Amino acid sequence: SSGINAEWPLRPGGRVVLKNMSDNFLKHWEPMFPVGKLVRVCVLSTEPRLQLSMKRSDLTKIKSSEESDAPQIQECLDDILMSKYQLNSSDEDAEEDESETESETAAPKIVYRKTSVVEDVDQDLKRALRESNSEDEDEDEVEEADTEKSEETVKGKSFEKRERKRRKEADERETRRIERALADNSNDALTEEDHEREVAVNPNNAASWVKFMAYYLGLGKVDKARQTATKALASINYRLENEKLDVWAALFNLENSFGSYESLMSVCREASTTNDHKTVFLKLASVLHSSHKFTELDDIFKTVLLKKHKHSRKVWCQYGDSLGSQSRLDDMRDLLPRALKSLPKHKHVRTISYFAQLEYKYGDPNRGSTMFENVLTTYPARLDLWSVYIDRTIAMKDISQARNVFERAIGLKLPLKKMKFFYKRYIDYETSLGGSGKVEYVKNKARDYLQQEKGEGSC
């Protein structure tokens, strides 16, 4: 059955099944109890294995019985100090013996006396008491989260999706920040023991492993950083492909900065055997582009990506962006006809739109405008194309050109909802320019359009 395993130093581990996690029903309990979280539990039974409970009702019973037993206060304090439970997922039972062995090795460092307490032990005891007090607050937070989850389930799954997306974006931002630090060979204030402790508590967190690699690179220990990456890839759960891919990207940066091109390609080929081939080589292309190794970058696109993934729009667009950033405009423009020959027809419009934006970004804006005009002649109802075209034209700060685009847009015969989009954008643009007369002109055009629509509707 579903549940979590708890490790108790110097004593056998126990198990908390799903029904004993909370007094309330928990539908999504995994995020509430990550690996390494400290919790308070009580023992329900000892046969055949310790059965534990985190339910408030069970803990209240135990707490009332402990308060009535005054002579055992000191023993309870000792238990608090030693009873730091660390949660493991159900598929990590094999690590219990290792954790118990480490705890037994560390246990003799703690010394107890009846009349006085050693200073180190006293500090540990105070810290344990603070953690014990915080556990009560954690339990309240868990119950409040349970109630909120129940309400969200009734409302739907949209909130959960937004939360997952928010957490994923936050993780990606943190990983990118750490990768930049790794590429810059930066260091932090954490010690080696701090990093080891962090990756032990969160073995599936790629950001922790990448920080550990950056720490070794800051000390000039490149081989240790490589070994850390290898250990990270072996430790992260095989289902977490994005986490593993972040570690591979960090390893690409390492080999690109401290290794040879052959070692970089060897690492990339190894990564492609366990991850999506296109994603791996596109990440490699980004690393080479950021380090301005354009010769190697062209070789990657020509010999690998454009041969094996010629039906991918993303590959052609990224290569075109790379050529434009190098001011190789002729090569960028020659790439578009090749892309249209290889790509399926349903990808042509978005590809042309992307290369038109590249003209605005790197080349000739007039050429980009012509490309948009041609594609919009064929697909006049594509609001996504119109929106990009309008944005790019406004960004050029050519007022007359922008007004010409808006005038052409409001002259179309499209459904009312789409026309409302054009009029609103036109009014917002004129308002930003500060011309009240032109704003009234656009509003009058909108009123005339509505009157015309009502007249045609009555007929």
Side-chain angles (χ1 to χ4, degrees):
S1 59
S2 299
I4 55 179
N5 296 326
E7 292 181 356
W8 192 353
L10 300 182
R11 301 184 184 181
R15 183 170 179 80
V16 183
V17 297
L18 181 59
K19 67 179 182 179
N20 290 330
M21 290 184 191
S22 175
D23 291 319
N24 299 324
F25 172 72
L26 299 180
K27 183 177 181 180
H28 304 284
W29 56 269
E30 293 92 342
M32 300 179 188
F33 304 106
V35 175
K37 182 176 178 65
L38 300 178
V39 296
R40 174 176 289 181
V41 300
C42 63
V43 179
L44 297 180
S45 64
T46 59
E47 296 296 337
R49 181 185 178 186
L50 279 179
Q51 297 296 324
L52 308 176
S53 173
M54 293 189 299
K55 295 168 66 174
R56 175 176 284 273
S57 57
D58 293 335
L59 294 171
T60 303
K61 296 177 183 179
I62 298 299
K63 186 176 181 181
S64 60
S65 63
E66 288 178 351
E67 290 175 350
S68 63
D69 195 1
Q72 296 182 356
I73 292 178
Q74 184 61 39
E75 182 180 353
C76 292
L77 292 177
D78 293 342
D79 288 340
I80 291 173
L81 178 60
M82 301 303 299
S83 301
K84 294 183 178 180
Y85 277 82
Q86 290 189 337
L87 304 183
N88 282 335
S89 58
S90 299
D91 58 352
E92 295 177 352
D93 293 338
E95 297 182 4
E96 292 181 7
D97 295 336
E98 181 182 352
S99 300
E100 292 173 8
T101 303
E102 294 175 356
S103 302
E104 291 173 359
T105 304
K109 296 181 181 179
I110 302 176
V111 180
Y112 294 90
R113 295 180 182 176
K114 293 183 178 180
T115 57
S116 62
V117 183
V118 180
E119 184 179 356
D120 293 339
V121 176
D122 185 60
Q123 292 177 356
D124 291 340
L125 181 57
K126 291 179 180 179
R127 190 182 306 111
L129 288 173
R130 288 196 298 270
E131 294 172 351
S132 176
N133 292 332
S134 66
E135 288 174 2
D136 293 334
E137 298 175 359
D138 292 341
E139 292 171 4
D140 294 336
E141 293 176 359
V142 169
E143 290 195 353
E144 292 174 2
D146 295 345
T147 305
E148 293 174 0
K149 285 291 183 179
S150 300
E151 295 174 355
E152 291 158 7
T153 303
V154 175
K155 294 180 181 179
K157 298 182 178 180
S158 59
F159 177 80
E160 297 176 4
K161 291 181 179 178
R162 289 196 298 270
E163 281 297 302
R164 286 196 298 269
K165 183 178 179 181
R166 182 186 63 80
R167 289 194 296 268
K168 182 179 179 181
E169 291 175 350
D171 291 341
E172 289 176 351
R173 287 195 298 270
E174 176 66 11
T175 302
R176 285 195 296 269
R177 183 187 68 80
I178 296 171
E179 286 179 358
R180 287 194 294 269
L182 178 62
D184 296 337
N185 195 20
S186 62
N187 197 2
D188 52 33
L190 298 179
T191 64
E192 183 175 359
E193 291 75 14
D194 293 332
H195 285 293
E196 289 178 349
R197 189 180 303 109
E198 184 176 356
V199 297
V201 173
N202 300 305
N204 292 322
N205 188 357
S208 300
W209 289 102
V210 175
K211 284 194 292 184
F212 202 179
M213 293 171 62
Y215 168 78
Y216 280 128
L217 288 179
L219 300 177
K221 299 179 179 180
V222 179
D223 291 335
K224 291 285 287 185
R226 289 193 180 98
Q227 294 172 10
T228 302
T230 304
K231 186 177 180 181
L233 295 170
S235 301
I236 296 177
N237 191 297
Y238 70 94
R239 293 187 180 90
L240 303 177
E241 295 181 359
N242 290 333
E243 297 291 329
K244 282 181 172 288
L245 199 58
D246 290 339
V247 176
W248 282 114
L251 192 54
F252 292 165
N253 278 303
L254 186 151
E255 294 296 340
N256 185 54
S257 301
F258 302 96
S260 61
Y261 181 67
E262 290 74 17
S263 65
L264 176 61
M265 290 302 300
S266 176
V267 170
C268 188
R269 283 190 290 268
E270 182 182 357
S272 65
T273 60
T274 55
N275 298 273
D276 179 67
H277 186 274
K278 182 180 74 173
T279 304
V280 168
F281 275 89
L282 284 177
K283 274 193 174 291
L284 174 62
S286 299
V287 171
L288 293 173
H289 184 271
S290 61
S291 58
H292 303 288
K293 295 183 177 181
F294 298 122
T295 302
E296 293 83 353
L297 179 63
D298 280 348
D299 182 64
I300 291 296
F301 274 108
K302 291 178 180 179
T303 62
V304 180
L305 289 170
L306 293 182
K307 284 190 174 182
K308 293 189 176 182
H309 306 286
K310 64 180 181 180
H311 300 302
S312 171
R313 187 186 73 90
K314 189 174 182 180
V315 170
W316 291 99
C317 291
Q318 185 166 329
Y319 190 28
D321 197 345
S322 174
L323 294 173
S325 66
Q326 302 173 52
S327 299
R328 297 167 57 184
L329 299 181
D330 292 337
D331 293 337
M332 182 188 75
R333 291 162 183 163
D334 293 340
L335 192 65
L336 179 58
R338 293 173 53 196
L340 297 180
K341 289 181 180 179
S342 301
L343 294 173
K345 288 186 177 181
H346 68 275
K347 296 183 179 181
H348 284 188
V349 175
R350 293 179 61 197
T351 305
I352 295 173
S353 173
Y354 190 88
F355 275 81
Q357 295 177 63
L358 293 181
E359 289 289 345
Y360 278 95
K361 187 176 180 180
Y362 302 115
D364 183 6
N366 292 328
R367 185 185 182 95
S369 176
T370 302
M371 294 172 68
F372 272 117
E373 291 286 346
N374 291 336
V375 74
L376 285 171
T377 301
T378 308
Y379 303 96
R382 291 284 296 268
L383 286 186
D384 57 333
L385 297 178
W386 277 107
S387 180
V388 174
Y389 185 23
I390 291 172
D391 289 339
R392 288 296 180 179
T393 305
I394 292 175
M396 297 303 298
K397 298 182 180 181
D398 188 340
I399 298 176
S400 60
Q401 178 66 17
R403 284 173 175 168
N404 290 336
V405 173
F406 278 117
E407 289 292 334
R408 181 190 170 189
I410 63 177
L412 298 173
K413 298 294 183 180
L414 297 177
L416 179 61
K417 185 176 181 180
K418 294 186 177 182
M419 296 302 298
K420 179 181 177 181
F421 166 80
F422 293 127
Y423 280 108
K424 187 176 184 305
R425 288 294 306 272
Y426 199 176
I427 292 174
D428 292 341
Y429 175 67
E430 294 295 344
T431 302
S432 66
L433 296 178
S436 58
K438 200 66 177 179
V439 172
E440 286 300 321
Y441 163 77
V442 179
K443 289 182 178 179
N444 290 332
K445 296 277 288 185
R447 294 188 190 100
D448 294 341
Y449 172 77
L450 290 176
Q451 290 294 334
Q452 183 180 359
E453 287 293 315
K454 289 180 179 178
E456 293 179 358
S458 60
C459 295

